[in-house]
Amino acid sequence: MRETRGGGGRVANRKDEGGGDLPGAWAAYGRLLQHLRKRAGLNQQQFGEAIGYSLEQATITQLPSPAPQVGSVEQGRRPAKAAFTRAADRVLEAGGVLEVLQDEVDRAKLPRFFRNFALMEAEAVSRFDYEPQLVPGLLQTEEYARALFAGHCPPLGEDVIDQRTEARLSRQKLPTRLPLAELSFIINEEALRDPVGCPEVMRAQWLQLLELAALRNVEVQVMPAMRGFHPGKNGPFVVVETREHKHLGYFESQGAGCVLTEPAEVSTFALRYGKLRSQALNVEESARLIERMAGET
């Protein structure tokens, strides 16, 4: 991963989709899995059969027998899915040691430029998100997220689409994670109306927004179309407060992400977000607008 550091506490991570090394988390998980399997006296075929991963049941990849599936995970070439990890922990009587690594395995499925921020996000006590173009990732349905990754340019392979979708869904623990984090989202009305996938995908997405907005720690506001100029015209951004009560800013564009740590820069983001909250529809008005959208389909 290429990393460039500028002044003012700014760290920018650039996307590297080339043939770099496989994620270290996958390799570490694989080595531990292999150790536990051998300790249990099982070869790969026996272990694969024990956890029920036949050709028809495989959730990692469609390979001709369980042994290559297990081998791919042990060699760090394929990430383990949560269902695989739960079954492996049970069969190997591992006491949850594999499940402890699952979040790291899932995070390594994310684009490289986003991984550091995803780690900060997972520890957040508050997170404020303005999104002018798309439904925010933490609120997306699986079908909506998959449609976005399928439209990536240059095209992504099916395995990568699966991994990115899984990683995005794994981040969605944040709204219900304990202790609860305070979450606020402001979404442009145009982003909600712009079709991603088929009409059924959009209707399911609107309904999920309403469901999540009903959580007591989540607020969803809509910036109405034709509002005119407002502080969000410069693009999407996120403001996060960590457990240590440090405030960070984040924005991304065209496959590059930037984390802001300089207090003056983060303060500017927070000020803009406050303005946007005052100009957007309130939570009740926003919910009624989304309900109307869902009813129109």
Side-chain angles (χ1 to χ4, degrees), residues 42-60:
L42 299 173
N43 62 33
Q44 291 180 348
Q45 184 73 22
Q46 292 167 332
F47 172 63
E49 291 172 353
I51 62 175
Y53 278 74
S54 64
L55 173 61
E56 293 76 23
Q57 296 169 310
T59 60
I60 301 173

Side-chain angles (χ1 to χ4, degrees), residues 203-223:
R203 186 170 189 276
Q205 179 62 77
W206 294 325
L207 293 176
Q208 178 155 302
L209 284 174
L210 293 170
E211 181 180 338
L212 290 168
L215 298 175
R216 59 190 176 92
N217 62 313
V218 178
E219 290 186 350
V220 175
Q221 292 179 256
V222 178
M223 181 65 72

